[in-house]
C-alpha cells in the first residue's frame, strides 16, 4: 500500500491528482481547508482515502495533520503540494494582507509540510515530494510580482532541501506549468473562449490540460524518476508573454 498526501485536494489540480492516483493499492490523504469539499472529492476516489481539514497558514494545524497520521500508523510515500493562492495585482493595488496570505500558503505552508514530512516517523525512506510551482516565476509579467516571488521561493526551497534530504533519500522536485485549464482565482475554474484565444496568442501550444501536469507529477513520484531531485521542471506550452 502506498500513502500519498495531497494538499489543495478540494479543487483544481489537487482534486484531479487525487482521482488519478487513487486505486486499490493506494491510500490518498486529502488535505485542504474546506472539509465539505474534501468529502465530495473522497466520494470520487476508487481506493482508500482519509480527509484531514487543515488551514495551511496555521503551523499548529499542519502539525496536527502529521500527528493524526502518526496515530494511524501511516508513513507517507509521497507529498504533492497543490495548495496555492494568487492575487494578480500591480504593486500599486496589492494589499499587504493579500501579499502576506499568499506567502503563508504558497511558501511557508510548503516549508512546514516539508519540515514534518522529512521526519523518520512521517515518511518512508526514498519517499518523494512534488510542489506545484508556476511558470510565472519565469514569465516576469506585470501584475504577477507577488505571485512570482512566492513561486520562485518554492523553487529555491526545492533546490536546497533536495540536498538536505539526501540522507534519507527523499527526493523533492517542482513542476512549473504555464496557464493550465484550471483557474486558481476563479471558483468555476473555467476559461472563456475569449480568454483561451488571448492565451493562445501568448502560449502558442494552447492552455495546458490538467492531465499533462498530473502525468509529470506521477513520473516524478515513480521509480523512473529515482535519480531526479532538486529540479524545477517547466511546462511552458511555448509561453512568450
Amino acid at each position: 500500500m502506498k500513502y500519498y498526501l495531497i494538499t489543495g485536494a478540494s479543487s483544481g489540480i489537487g482534486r484531479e491528482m487525487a482521482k488519478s492516483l487513487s486505486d486499490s493499492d493506494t491510500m490518498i490523504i486529502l488535505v485542504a481547508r474546506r472539509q465539505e469539499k474534501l468529502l465530495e472529492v473522497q466520494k470520487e476516489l476508487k481506493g482508500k482515502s482519509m480527509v484531514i481539514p487543515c488551514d495551511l497558514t496555521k503551523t499548529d494545524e499542519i502539525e496536527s495533520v502529521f500527528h493524526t497520521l502518526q496515530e494511524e500508523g501511516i508513513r507517507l510515500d509521497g507529498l504533492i503540494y497543490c495548495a496555492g493562492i494568487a492575487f494578480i495585482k500591480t504593486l500599486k493595488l496589492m494589499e499587504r494582507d493579500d501579499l502576506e496570505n499568499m506567502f503563508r500558503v504558497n511558501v511557508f505552508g510548503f516549508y512546514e509540510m516539508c519540515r514534518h514530512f522529512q521526519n523518520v516517523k512521517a515518511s518512508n525512506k526514498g519517499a518523494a515530494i512534488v510542489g506545484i510551482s508556476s511558470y510565472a516565476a519565469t514569465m516576469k509579467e506585470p501584475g504577477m510580482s507577488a505571485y512570482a516571488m512566492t513561486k520562485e521561493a518554492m523553487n529555491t526551497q526545492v533546490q536546497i532541501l533536495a540536498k538536505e534530504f539526501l540522507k534519507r533519500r527523499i527526493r523533492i522536485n517542482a513542476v512549473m506549468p504555464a496557464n493550465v485549464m484550471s483557474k486558481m482565482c476563479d471558483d468555476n475554474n473555467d476559461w472563456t473562449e475569449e480568454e483561451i484565444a488571448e492565451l493562445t496568442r501568448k502560449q502558442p501550444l494552447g492552455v495546458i490540460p490538467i492531465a499533462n501536469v498530473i502525468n509529470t507529477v506521477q513520473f516524478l513520484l515513480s521509480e523512473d524518476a529515482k535519480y531526479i531531485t532538486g529540479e524545477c521542471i517547466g511546462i511552458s506550452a511555448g509561453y512568450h508573454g
Side-chain angles (χ1 to χ4, degrees):
M1 179 73 71
K2 292 283 189 180
Y3 297 90
Y4 293 110
L5 188 155
I6 303 174
T7 69
S10 60
S11 63
I13 293 174
R15 183 180 192 137
E16 296 305 316
M17 191 80 238
K19 290 161 62 177
S20 181
L21 283 175
S22 181
D23 60 34
S24 59
D25 297 320
T26 303
M27 172 176 274
I28 306 297
I29 294 90
L30 303 164
V31 174
R33 188 167 48 85
R34 295 179 291 180
Q35 183 174 14
E36 69 279 7
K37 292 292 185 181
L38 292 176
L39 292 173
E40 290 177 9
V41 177
Q42 188 176 39
K43 293 176 183 177
E44 299 177 305
L45 304 186
K46 300 173 184 176
K48 294 182 179 180
S49 62
M50 178 186 299
V51 166
I52 309 180
C54 175
D55 183 341
L56 291 165
T57 67
K58 299 178 179 178
T59 56
D60 60 330
E61 291 196 20
I62 293 174
E63 183 177 359
S64 179
V65 168
F66 287 90
H67 180 70
T68 298
L69 296 179
Q70 188 175 335
E71 286 186 329
E72 294 291 329
I74 293 173
R75 287 187 180 181
L76 297 169
D77 297 289
L79 163 65
I80 306 99
Y81 196 89
C82 301
I85 56 174
F87 296 95
I88 313 304
K89 296 179 181 179
T90 62
L91 177 65
K92 184 177 181 179
L93 298 176
M94 178 64 70
E95 299 288 339
R96 179 60 180 250
D97 286 347
D98 289 344
L99 176 65
E100 291 183 353
N101 199 42
M102 201 185 310
F103 268 88
R104 288 190 189 102
V105 175
N106 298 4
V107 181
F108 304 144
F110 179 63
Y111 197 73
E112 287 300 318
M113 292 295 293
C114 290
R115 183 201 303 278
H116 289 282
F117 183 90
Q118 59 85 37
N119 190 291
V120 67
K121 295 180 180 180
S123 59
N124 290 313
K125 186 176 181 180
I129 300 170
V130 181
I132 302 300
S133 182
S134 172
Y135 206 68
T138 301
M139 294 174 191
K140 306 296 192 294
E141 290 278 8
M144 299 284 283
S145 61
Y147 183 63
M149 283 193 295
T150 66
K151 293 307 183 180
E152 190 59 50
M154 172 184 272
N155 295 346
T156 300
Q157 289 179 47
V158 163
Q159 292 164 339
I160 295 173
L161 295 181
K163 299 175 182 178
E164 296 184 12
F165 292 169
L166 286 175
K167 186 176 181 179
R168 294 201 60 229
R169 305 186 71 83
I170 292 175
R171 297 180 298 104
I172 178 171
N173 296 286
V175 176
M176 303 189 302
N179 291 292
V180 177
M181 196 64 75
S182 175
K183 293 171 69 176
M184 288 178 59
C185 304
D186 197 330
D187 285 341
N188 63 20
N189 290 327
D190 294 330
W191 297 96
T192 66
E193 290 184 8
E194 292 77 12
E195 288 172 325
I196 290 175
E198 174 62 19
L199 281 175
T200 302
R201 184 184 66 78
K202 296 182 177 181
Q203 194 167 299
L205 297 183
V207 183
I208 302 162
I210 292 179
N212 287 66
V213 179
I214 289 171
N215 289 343
T216 305
V217 173
Q218 287 186 299
F219 166 71
L220 291 172
L221 293 172
S222 74
E223 279 294 303
D224 291 334
K226 64 182 179 181
Y227 300 111
I228 300 175
T229 192
E231 300 299 330
C232 301
I233 299 172
I235 307 176
S236 71
Y239 190 96
H240 56 73

